């Protein structure tokens, strides 16, 4: 809604900055609605309209983050890492921490498990130290997703990946489920307090999948049903589909 108001203001006044802000705002909304292609497109529209250096940075971080989440980790990292270095120098603290979360996740997706997890952990500590709990929660969600996929056997466990991350595999894989649960519960508490239902649904879905793995059917059902309800109410189709599939497997 806020993005649409910015678009309307831009049309009324001819102010290109409002249009740029509307597009990057929509890009971030798309990101958490699992519309990664839409996020990239809106970020690019913002960059085409943007004159402000700050607006361009926000749009570029949104685009790089969407690329990471869509599986194009190396492409996303090539965009995010130089931007992160620039905004670190310039002191744009909020976007520094946001970019860091997706850089860490991108490293993991690209196969650098140990380095990526360590980067995420350090980024969470920095965000907390500077009183940015919602950005820290993105890091907890990212780590929860990483450990959950390992626990469920959905991560890249090829010989090449294992040989590249021996310490991580030996030290973390046996406790992946408990680590995932810890991070996801921290993220869930923060996003509930922030009234962010789409991200709450994401946390609930992952926690439900972990409970299903332990054959805790009643606990898994409660989590997945709430995830499904929130996903449908907020039109997050991808999360709704995943929640329905997980519920069907419990029967």
């Amino acid at each position: 809604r806020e993005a649409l108001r910015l678009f309307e203001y831009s049309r009324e006044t001819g102010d290109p900055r409002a249009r740029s802000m509307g597009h990057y705002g929509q890009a971030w909304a798309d990101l958490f609605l699992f519309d990664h292609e839409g996020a990239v497109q809106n970020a690019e529209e913002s960059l085409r309209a943007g004159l402000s250096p700050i607006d361009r940075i926000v749009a570029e971080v949104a685009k790089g983050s969407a690329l990471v989440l869509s599986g194009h980790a190396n492409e996303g990292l090539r965009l995010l890492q130089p931007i992160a270095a620039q905004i670190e120098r310039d002191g744009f603290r909020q976007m520094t921490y946001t970019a860091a979360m997706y850089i860490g996740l991108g490293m993991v997706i690209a196969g650098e498990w140990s380095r990526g997890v360590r980067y995420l952990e350090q980024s969470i500590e920095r965000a907390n130290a500077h009183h940015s709990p919602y950005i820290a929660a993105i890091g907890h969600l990212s780590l929860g997703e990483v450990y959950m996929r390992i626990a469920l056997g959905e991560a890249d466990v090829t010989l090449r990946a294992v040989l590249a991350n021996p310490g991580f595999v030996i030290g973390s894989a046996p406790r992946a489920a408990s680590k995932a649960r810890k991070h996801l519960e921290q993220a869930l508490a923060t996003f509930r307090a922030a009234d962010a239902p789409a991200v709450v649904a994401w946390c609930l879905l992952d926690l439900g999948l972990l409970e299903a793995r332990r054959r805790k059917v009643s606990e898994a059902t409660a989590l997945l049903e709430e995830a499904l309800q929130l996903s449908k109410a907020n039109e997050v189709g991808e999360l709704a589909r995943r929640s329905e599939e997980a519920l069907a497997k419990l029967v």
Side-chain angles (χ1 to χ4, degrees), residues 9-249:
Y9 179 79
S10 178
R11 283 192 294 270
E12 290 174 354
T13 63
D15 182 356
R17 188 179 184 196
R19 184 158 65 91
S20 175
M21 294 172 68
H23 277 296
Y24 76 60
Q26 188 59 54
W28 283 105
D30 289 341
L31 194 76
F32 288 105
L33 293 173
F34 288 79
D35 182 4
H36 302 136
E37 182 178 350
V40 170
Q41 291 174 352
N42 271 297
E44 289 175 344
E45 285 294 330
S46 178
L47 289 166
R48 278 191 280 271
L51 302 175
S52 163
I54 290 178
D55 293 346
R56 294 185 64 82
I57 286 170
V58 176
E60 287 176 325
V61 173
K63 180 180 177 180
S65 303
L67 289 168
V68 165
L69 290 177
S70 65
H72 300 285
N74 289 321
E75 187 178 354
L77 288 171
R78 282 195 295 270
L79 181 59
L80 287 171
Q81 287 173 322
I83 296 171
Q86 175 191 339
I87 56 183
E88 178 79 25
R89 291 192 303 269
D90 294 345
F92 191 4
R93 184 171 291 167
Q94 182 179 7
M95 293 313 297
T96 298
Y97 302 148
T98 303
M101 298 305 171
Y102 293 101
I103 289 171
L105 184 58
M107 290 175 180
V108 173
I109 294 171
E112 295 183 83
W113 297 353
S114 300
R115 186 178 172 216
V117 166
R118 187 165 58 251
Y119 196 97
L120 279 167
E121 290 170 344
Q122 292 170 348
S123 299
I124 290 170
E125 290 176 3
R126 291 179 65 198
N128 282 327
H130 290 92
H131 309 290
S132 299
Y134 304 127
I135 296 175
I138 294 172
H140 283 299
L141 175 57
S142 299
L143 282 173
E145 183 84 7
V146 169
Y147 285 119
M148 182 207 71
R149 291 186 179 278
I150 293 170
L152 299 182
E154 296 177 357
D156 175 11
V157 289
T158 61
L159 178 61
R160 179 180 178 183
V162 172
L163 290 175
N165 302 272
F168 181 83
V169 174
I170 294 169
S172 300
R175 296 177 290 125
S178 63
K179 288 189 172 189
R181 192 172 294 105
K182 173 187 173 183
H183 286 293
L184 290 168
E185 286 174 349
Q186 286 181 268
L188 176 61
T190 302
F191 288 125
R192 276 201 194 279
D195 190 23
V199 197
V200 167
W202 187 352
C203 296
L204 290 167
L205 169 59
D206 284 0
L207 286 166
L209 291 171
L210 288 169
E211 292 305 295
R213 174 184 176 272
R214 295 200 298 172
R215 295 181 172 82
K216 301 272 189 177
V217 176
S218 60
E219 292 87 344
T221 300
L223 290 162
L224 293 170
E225 285 181 344
E226 186 180 358
L228 178 59
Q229 179 185 10
L230 286 172
S231 299
K232 286 185 172 180
N234 292 276
E235 299 180 351
V236 191
E238 178 63 17
L239 283 180
R241 181 188 65 78
R242 293 186 195 178
S243 300
E244 287 177 334
E245 286 182 356
L247 281 165
K249 291 178 181 177

